[in-house]
Amino acid sequence: MSETADVIIVGGGVMGASIAWHLAQRQAGRIVLLERAALGSGSTGRSVASIDGLTFQSHAVELFARSAAFFRQGDALLDAPCGFVQTGSVVLAGAEQEAGLITAVAHMQTAGVNIQLLTPEELAGLEPNMAFGGVTAASYAPQAGYADPVLTTQAFAGAARRLGVDVQQGRAVTGLRREGRRIVGVDTAVGSIAAPIVIVAAGAWSDPLLRTVAIQLDLQPVRHPVVCLRRPSTFGPAHHSLLDLTLGIYARPETGGLTLLGSLNPQVGYDPINPDGGPGYVPDDYLLWTMERLTQRYPALVRGELLTGWAGIMTISPDWQPVIGGWPDVTGLYCATGFSGQGFQISPAVGDFLAALIAGDRVSQLVPFSPDRLTAGQLLRTKQAAEPYGLLG
Ligand SMILES: Cc1cc2nc3c(=O)[nH]c(=O)nc-3n(C[C@H](O)[C@H](O)[C@H](O)COP(=O)(O)OP(=O)(O)OC[C@H]3O[C@@H](n4cnc5c(N)ncnc54)[C@H](O)[C@@H]3O)c2cc1C
């Protein structure tokens, strides 16, 4: 192999770019990031990119809390715009989800996130256009919002480049190279690169790459459509970002008086696909399903104008939890994948923690996400033990 590096990152989505910058900050040597197409051209470029500052999964609290804090100062830290817009985020729960929401809010508060439970009067004051059927509890995170996923990826990659990372677009990795219990580099169409550390951050294409060194994670690529509508001018000021657990939808405002809308229900809008066939489009039945629910919550949006939405590819792991870390029996191989619809908002902390792990630190925050749990059949479970997680737990 003629080319060499200290670390190779496969995949130039938000995750690969964040990992590259965090590793460069730790002076991890010669780092090469290989992206087969353009930066952000995978799931990242089609992300709704909401940053809710809330998780129902106690083992993930720090990933969400740290990342939410990062996004508020991302432009300054990366010296480039990430397009963060603070919308505030409202979460609605019904009787079934109420206890979970109260616990999640307490966990996030302990981790330093500005989030509170709302009284019905406070909720009505915040959301004058909302109908409250089925809602028994609500939370509000005033500093939550969304960012521009492509700008964020470019910002991480640009900052990494300025620290010496070699970012190569248009260079696909065709296989990983392993010698016994060690990873030794990667193959590409235009030559191999030798490296003692390889990180697979290839989104929906991670599994095929890992299979080249006899590792199988059973990640499921799915198509997730996003509906887009223009709010009527009579609606007034934009609503907040919304996670409606009772109706199973999310909605967030977008610039230009638009609202982006989608399903939180794992049975609707998370359809298994072959990622090489592309993400497809927004099916009519999905559009009806989501709009029916949105207009229950905001009756005034019946007069909204439907615009063309889009679909993207998400990568769902067997327990809907990220897969981050290394393998004890393959020295030097790491992955950050299987983000199951929530990867954008935790990308800063994932990059930070993975860089620390690679530097040799013990990173307790990553232990629950270890890839080993999938090969050992020890999936993460909800507190009710028998139930697997869904999108929000
Ligand atoms: C419609 C939609 C809405 C979403 N909404 C949200 C949201 O509101 N909030 C949130 O937090 N998350 C959201 N997500 C999830 C989030 O976008 C993803 O978890 C995140 O972008 C994953 O980033 P990634 O870098 O792991 O993967 P990707 O962005 O897919 O990046 C992987 C990269 O690897 C490259 N690659 C693949 N194979 C190879 C190879 N062999 N060699 C070289 N390069 C290769 C690909 O070209 C790609 O650019 C959403 C996702 C979708 C699709």
Side-chain angles (χ1 to χ4, degrees):
M1 286 190 263
S2 51
E3 292 178 70
T4 60
D6 294 303
V7 184
I8 295 170
I9 301 162
V10 187
V14 71
M15 223 38 96
S18 167
I19 295 165
W21 181 68
H22 282 98
L23 278 170
Q25 283 218 307
R26 286 177 171 264
Q27 298 174 323
R30 186 174 141 67
I31 302 162
V32 178
L33 187 156
L34 299 173
E35 163 55 49
R36 68 174 177 187
L39 291 171
S41 59
S43 297
T44 299
R46 289 171 173 257
S47 183
V48 172
S50 289
I51 302 154
D52 307 305
L54 176 72
T55 174
F56 289 78
Q57 296 142 11
S58 54
H59 52 261
V61 164
E62 231 182 301
L63 288 181
F64 280 75
R66 281 202 193 201
S67 298
F70 180 97
F71 275 110
R72 290 200 302 281
Q73 14 163 2
D75 295 13
L77 290 167
L78 300 176
D79 199 17
C82 296
F84 179 71
V85 177
Q86 186 171 321
T87 59
S89 170
V90 167
V91 182
L92 304 179
E96 263 182 47
Q97 308 96 7
E98 184 175 335
L101 180 61
I102 292 168
T103 306
V105 167
H107 285 158
M108 298 317 296
Q109 285 173 335
T110 304
V113 174
N114 181 356
I115 185 167
Q116 69 218 46
L117 292 167
L118 294 175
T119 62
E121 295 73 32
E122 287 168 334
L123 178 59
L126 276 175
E127 288 286 352
N129 284 301
M130 195 180 260
F132 301 107
V135 176
T136 62
S139 69
Y140 178 50
Q143 293 177 320
Y146 66 92
D148 182 312
V150 175
L151 281 184
T152 302
T153 306
Q154 297 279 4
F156 272 126
R161 254 192 214 111
R162 291 193 292 279
L163 292 176
V165 174
D166 179 7
V167 178
Q168 300 188 25
Q169 300 183 75
R171 187 166 184 191
V173 171
T174 52
L176 309 179
R177 294 175 74 100
R178 173 179 178 171
E179 282 176 5
R181 294 166 65 91
R182 284 187 314 130
I183 203 79
V184 295
V186 301
D187 291 324
T188 78
V190 287
S192 303
I193 309 177
I197 295 174
V198 174
I199 304 161
V200 175
W205 297 270
S206 300
D207 239 357
L209 268 181
L210 287 165
R211 276 201 289 270
T212 64
V213 287
I215 290 173
Q216 189 160 342
L217 293 179
D218 290 327
L219 304 176
Q220 178 62 66
V222 300
R223 174 184 65 180
H224 179 70
V226 180
V227 174
C228 181
L229 81 154
R230 179 172 288 120
R231 297 185 297 277
S233 56
T234 48
F235 190 83
H239 55 84
H240 296 83
S241 290
L242 173 72
L243 295 175
D244 188 336
L245 308 181
T246 70
L247 296 176
I249 54 164
Y250 65 83
R252 77 151 170 86
E254 175 57 89
T255 48
L258 305 183
T259 290
L260 303 181
L261 166 68
S263 160
L264 290 175
N265 180 338
Q267 312 303 325
V268 181
Y270 298 88
D271 307 316
I273 53 157
N274 172 357
D276 294 327
Y281 54 93
V282 183
D284 286 348
D285 55 348
Y286 181 80
L287 205 148
L288 287 174
W289 189 93
T290 50
M291 279 304 293
E292 213 173 272
R293 283 158 181 78
L294 183 71
T295 52
Q296 267 182 61
R297 198 51 84 208
Y298 293 109
L301 290 182
V302 166
R303 289 185 298 281
E305 178 196 352
L306 276 171
L307 305 173
T308 310
W310 70 88
I313 294 168
M314 287 178 176
T315 312
I316 309 294
S317 76
D319 54 12
W320 286 70
Q321 299 296 295
V323 189
I324 313 164
W327 285 262
D329 53 346
V330 192
T331 306
L333 179 63
Y334 297 85
C335 75
T337 184
F339 289 100
S340 306
Q342 297 210 285
F344 179 76
Q345 62 189 301
I346 57 172
S347 57
V350 171
D352 190 14
F353 287 145
L354 192 57
L357 186 74
I358 288 168
D361 296 353
R362 188 185 136 68
V363 184
S364 59
Q365 294 90 342
L366 290 186
V367 171
F369 304 109
S370 151
D372 254 2
R373 76 180 192 279
L374 301 182
T375 34
Q378 291 165 339
L379 303 188
L380 289 162
R381 297 278 168 182
T382 60
K383 287 220 173 61
Q384 292 77 24
E387 291 175 36
Y389 285 106
L391 185 62
L392 293 180

